[in-house]
Amino acid sequence: MSSPHDGCDIGIYCFAVNEDFASCCEYADSAMYQVKKRGKHNYAFWQDTDVDADVDDDSSAIQK
């Protein structure tokens, strides 16, 4: 019999003081779904694509 394995996918967004909660959740959720798309059991930071960053063309999340 095999044992179950736990895991998690985490999306991280560092927010500014003047941002609303709904937007913050949307950005973190977007980063989390990029983790799921790339294979799960990891985390990613959401980053605005207007900022110079090491991001894929189809993604706004930076996988770590």
Side-chain angles (χ1 to χ4, degrees):
M1 176 166 39
S2 65
S3 61
H5 291 72
D6 291 331
C8 66
D9 304 322
I10 301 172
I12 302 167
Y13 175 67
C14 299
F15 62 93
V17 178
N18 61 347
E19 291 186 88
D20 63 292
F21 182 74
S23 294
C24 295
C25 289
E26 180 180 327
Y27 299 143
D29 194 50
S30 176
M32 181 190 65
Y33 278 100
Q34 289 301 318
V35 172
K36 291 179 180 291
K37 181 179 174 183
R38 293 180 179 150
K40 299 187 177 187
H41 308 298
N42 211 333
Y43 65 95
F45 289 88
W46 186 92
Q47 182 167 333
D48 188 354
T49 54
D50 291 339
V51 177
D52 290 334
D54 182 22
V55 294
D56 294 338
D57 292 336
D58 67 338
S59 170
S60 59
I62 299 173
Q63 183 98 17
K64 296 294 179 183

